[in-house]
Amino acid sequence: MKLIVKELEKLTSIEETLNLNSFLNESVDLIELKDVLVRGKILKSFEEVKLNLAVNLTVIQKCARTLLPVTYPLEFETEIIYSKDDKTYDYYLSDTIDLDQIIFAEILLEKEPFVYHESAKDYIDESEGSGHPAFQALKIDTK
């Protein structure tokens, strides 16, 4: 979804469901982003556009150990400032704002860095004190 800056009102409400599947090839661990709902307010002043948004979606991400899909909900709020003033902006204000691109970037910042499928085996169980099996031969007997 593209926002044309000169067509924005001083205060605009937004409630949109975005399809961000075209961006998925830019992330190595995301499989799918479902039901990406963006709600909030867009405030426009002289040379500034401020987006106050709440984003809700379902993330399907690869398990860090098995690459099996892990599904979880993600909710976050964000404030993004487009401006021509280099002291205040997050992004430089141009004639159009690509909402899809900026929301995808925010999702990359907010998603879990690593997720684990319920079947993923943890080779390092610190409660047993055994460590990874590959290093068992290196263990020094202190008795």
Side-chain angles (χ1 to χ4, degrees):
M1 174 180 184
K2 302 243 189 241
L3 301 173
I4 301 170
V5 173
K6 67 181 178 181
E7 293 178 2
L8 291 173
E9 300 291 327
K10 187 174 182 179
L11 175 65
T12 306
S13 293
I14 184 170
E15 185 167 342
E16 290 289 327
T17 301
L18 304 178
N19 181 349
L20 303 178
N21 290 331
S22 62
F23 294 100
L24 290 176
N25 60 351
E26 296 180 27
S27 175
V28 295
D29 62 344
L30 290 177
I31 297 172
E32 188 175 358
L33 301 171
K34 288 184 173 181
D35 307 320
V36 181
L37 178 62
V38 178
R39 286 183 286 201
K41 305 271 186 227
I42 301 172
L43 305 160
K44 179 185 170 190
S45 60
F46 176 59
E47 286 189 342
E48 183 176 278
V49 175
K50 187 181 293 185
L51 307 171
N52 292 314
L53 304 173
V55 180
N56 297 307
L57 68 142
T58 302
V59 178
I60 303 175
Q61 188 173 338
K62 294 176 188 174
C63 170
R65 290 192 181 108
T66 64
L67 301 181
L68 292 172
V70 177
T71 303
Y72 63 93
L74 180 62
E75 294 182 19
F76 62 91
E77 293 182 3
T78 187
E79 178 182 82
I80 304 162
I81 300 172
Y82 284 86
S83 177
K84 293 187 177 181
D85 181 4
D86 62 352
K87 295 181 179 108
T88 62
Y89 72 81
D90 294 318
Y91 298 95
Y92 186 78
L93 182 64
S94 60
D95 294 338
T96 61
I97 296 172
D98 188 347
L99 190 62
D100 292 346
Q101 186 176 25
I102 196 66
I103 294 300
F104 183 73
E106 291 290 317
I107 290 170
L108 290 179
L109 291 172
E110 296 289 336
K111 73 176 181 62
E112 294 294 327
F114 304 103
V115 294
Y116 301 99
H117 192 268
E118 59 190 26
S119 69
K121 186 175 178 183
D122 185 4
Y123 289 104
I124 303 173
D125 186 359
E126 301 211 8
S127 65
E128 294 177 12
S130 61
H132 193 280
F135 297 110
Q136 292 304 311
L138 300 174
K139 199 175 219 181
I140 299 172
D141 189 14
T142 57
K143 294 181 185 176

